Amino acid sequence: MTDSIMSKAATMEIPINSNGDTGALQEDDSLEQDLQQVMVSGPNLNETSIVSGGYGGTAEGIISTSSIKGPAVQYNPDFNKRIPVTGLGPNMHHSSSSSSMMAEEATRGVAVEKIEAMRKWSLNTYKCTKQMISERFGRGSRTVDLELEAQIELLRDTKRKYENVLRLARALTNHFYNMVQTQHALGDTFADLSQKSPELRDEFGYNAETQKLLCKNGETLLGAINFFVSSINTLVNKTMEDTLMTIKMYENARLEFDAYRSDLEELSQGPRDAVAMARIEAAQQQYQVHKDKYERLRSDVIIKLKFLEENKVKVMHKQLLLFHNAISAYFAGNQQQLEETLKQFNIKLKPLGVDKPSWLEEQ
C-alpha cells in the first residue's frame, strides 16, 4: 500500500497554465498533509519564481510571482514541482497589483504622448526644411506680401540706425562724464591752491569758481543725456524688439503655411484612390490650420507696425527736442535755460559723486 502511494506521488504531474491556475488535483489524505507541511515551512513567496513550462523548462519561461494574478504557489522539494497554496488567492495582492497596473498605464500614456509629439515635430520640421530648401534654390513657390515685407525691411533698417545713435550717445555720455569729473577735481585743486598761495589767491579763485560752475552745468547736461539714452534704449531694445519677435513668428508661420500648401498640391496631383483621398483630406485640414495661423500673425504684425511707427514718432520728437535744447543751452553758457529744459521734461538730477543713501535715511 505504501509503495503504491509513493509511486503515485512520484509520477504525479501538476500542470500550471500561463495565468497561474492549476489543473485538477485528485484528493488524497496523505498528499494534503504534505501540502500543509509545505505551506508552513516552504520558502518565501516573494522570492519564488514560476517556470511556465513545468519541470525541466528553460530559463526563458521564468517570470516573477509579483506579476501573476492567479493563486500563489510554493515549491515542494519532495515532488520537484510547483504546487498551489490554498487560502492565498488573488485577493492578497489585489490592491498592490491594481496600483501597479495604474502606474504602468499612466507611464505608458505619457510615453505615447511624447512619441506622438516627437512624431508631429519631426514631420513638421521635415516639411519646413524641404520648403526652405526649395525656396532657396528657386524650385518652390512662396507667399509674398510686398507691402508688408517692405515695412518689415524698413523697420530692421531703422533699428540698425537707431542702435548706432544709441551707441554714439552712450559714448558721448561716458566721455562727458569723465570731463565733468576732471573739472570737479580741477576746481577742488584750484580752490586748495587759492588758500595756500596768497600771491595767486585771486587767480586760483577765479578758475576754481569757473570749474565749479562748468561742473554744475555739466551734471545738468548729463542728466538730460542720460534721459535721452534711456528712452532710446527702451525704444530700440524693447518696443522694436517686441515687434521683431512677432515678425519672426509670422515668418515661421508663413514658411509652415507654404510647406503644407505645397504638400497639399502634390497630393492633389496624385492618384485618387481611397488611401490617397484620406491623405488629401488630412492635408487639407493641416493646410487650413496653418493658413489661419499665418493670417492671424500677419494681422498682428500689421497692427504692431502701425502702433510702433506712431510711438516712435512721439518718443523721438520729445527726445530730440530735449537733446537739442540741453546741448544748446550748455554750450551757450545759459544755465537758466538748461535748468528750465530739465524741468520741462520732468527730469530729476542726482549730483555726481553722491553715494546712494542708506536704508535708514530712506525711511
Side-chain angles (χ1 to χ4, degrees):
M1 183 64 180
T2 304
D3 294 339
S4 176
I5 294 176
M6 293 300 295
S7 176
K8 178 181 179 181
T11 58
M12 183 176 295
E13 292 288 342
I14 304 177
I16 302 177
N17 54 24
S18 60
N19 63 357
D21 294 334
T22 61
L25 181 64
Q26 297 181 359
E27 296 181 356
D28 191 282
D29 295 336
S30 61
L31 186 57
E32 288 184 2
Q33 293 177 1
D34 291 337
L35 292 177
Q36 292 175 1
Q37 183 179 0
V38 170
M39 285 189 292
V40 174
S41 60
N44 190 354
L45 288 175
N46 295 330
E47 299 176 356
T48 305
S49 61
I50 298 175
V51 181
S52 61
Y55 178 76
T58 61
E60 296 177 355
I62 298 178
I63 57 177
S64 174
T65 57
S66 61
S67 62
I68 299 179
K69 300 179 182 179
V73 295
Q74 288 280 1
Y75 178 78
N76 189 347
D78 294 336
F79 297 97
N80 197 20
K81 301 293 181 179
R82 269 60 171 175
I83 57 178
V85 180
T86 59
L88 298 176
N91 292 333
M92 181 177 179
H93 300 288
H94 178 72
S95 60
S96 60
S97 61
S98 299
S99 60
S100 62
M101 289 178 59
M102 292 177 63
E104 290 177 359
E105 291 178 357
T107 304
R108 189 180 299 110
V110 173
V112 170
E113 289 180 0
K114 289 184 178 180
I115 293 174
E116 182 65 19
M118 179 62 68
R119 186 188 69 82
K120 291 181 179 179
W121 176 84
S122 301
L123 181 62
N124 185 73
T125 302
Y126 166 75
K127 291 181 181 294
C128 292
T129 304
K130 179 182 176 182
Q131 177 67 23
M132 185 184 301
I133 294 175
S134 299
E135 291 178 2
R136 186 160 297 179
F137 287 94
R139 294 196 297 265
S141 60
R142 65 186 297 265
T143 304
V144 179
D145 189 330
L146 295 178
E147 182 180 357
L148 182 58
E149 291 191 2
Q151 294 178 7
I152 292 174
E153 186 59 31
L154 178 61
L155 171 60
R156 287 176 173 151
D157 183 63
T158 301
K159 185 174 184 290
R160 286 191 294 267
K161 293 178 179 179
Y162 276 48
E163 286 174 342
N164 188 41
V165 170
L166 181 61
R167 179 181 60 82
L168 294 174
R170 284 173 172 168
L172 175 63
T173 302
N174 292 331
H175 296 322
F176 198 76
Y177 174 81
N178 292 330
M179 187 187 74
V180 171
Q181 290 291 90
T182 303
Q183 289 176 337
H184 191 299
L186 188 58
D188 292 341
T189 303
F190 284 157
D192 183 63
L193 288 173
S194 175
Q195 298 295 327
K196 297 180 180 180
S197 302
E199 67 280 4
L200 296 174
R201 178 179 299 157
D202 294 337
E203 288 79 0
F204 278 126
Y206 296 151
N207 281 277
E209 292 297 329
T210 301
Q211 294 301 321
K212 289 181 180 179
L213 179 60
L214 290 174
C215 182
K216 181 180 179 181
N217 292 340
E219 292 175 359
T220 306
L221 180 60
L222 272 176
I225 298 178
N226 283 331
F227 186 76
F228 175 82
V229 169
S230 177
S231 300
I232 300 299
N233 179 67
T234 301
L235 177 63
V236 173
N237 294 320
K238 291 185 178 180
T239 309
M240 290 185 178
E241 189 64 27
D242 176 72
T243 304
L244 288 174
M245 287 296 295
T246 306
I247 290 173
K248 185 176 181 180
M249 294 170 59
Y250 156 76
E251 292 175 342
N252 291 336
R254 196 279 309 165
L255 182 64
E256 291 179 349
F257 166 67
D258 284 337
Y260 283 90
R261 176 182 55 79
S262 300
D263 186 45
L264 179 60
E265 291 174 355
E266 291 178 4
L267 291 175
S268 300
Q269 295 173 0
R272 294 296 181 130
D273 55 3
V275 176
M277 291 302 296
R279 292 180 178 176
I280 292 174
E281 184 179 357
Q284 179 69 34
Q285 294 177 356
Q286 291 295 323
Y287 164 78
Q288 189 63 41
V289 169
H290 288 86
K291 180 181 179 181
D292 294 341
K293 180 181 177 181
Y294 163 74
E295 292 179 349
R296 183 180 70 255
L297 286 173
R298 177 178 175 274
S299 177
D300 292 345
V301 169
I302 293 175
I303 293 173
K304 284 199 171 186
L305 286 173
K306 179 181 178 181
F307 284 121
L308 175 61
E309 183 64 23
E310 295 176 356
N311 187 38
K312 182 193 71 174
V313 172
K314 185 185 300 183
V315 170
M316 292 308 299
H317 175 78
K318 177 181 178 180
Q319 296 303 318
L320 291 174
L321 183 61
L322 164 68
F323 191 81
H324 173 268
N325 292 345
I327 292 289
S328 300
Y330 173 81
F331 284 100
N334 193 338
Q335 181 181 358
Q336 182 179 359
Q337 182 181 354
L338 183 59
E339 292 176 353
E340 289 178 354
T341 299
L342 268 66
K343 291 179 181 180
Q344 178 184 356
F345 294 95
N346 299 320
I347 301 174
K348 296 182 180 180
L349 295 179
K350 180 182 177 181
L352 297 180
V354 176
D355 296 333
K356 183 179 179 181
S358 64
W359 65 274
L360 288 175
E361 296 176 348
E362 293 178 349
Q363 301 302 320

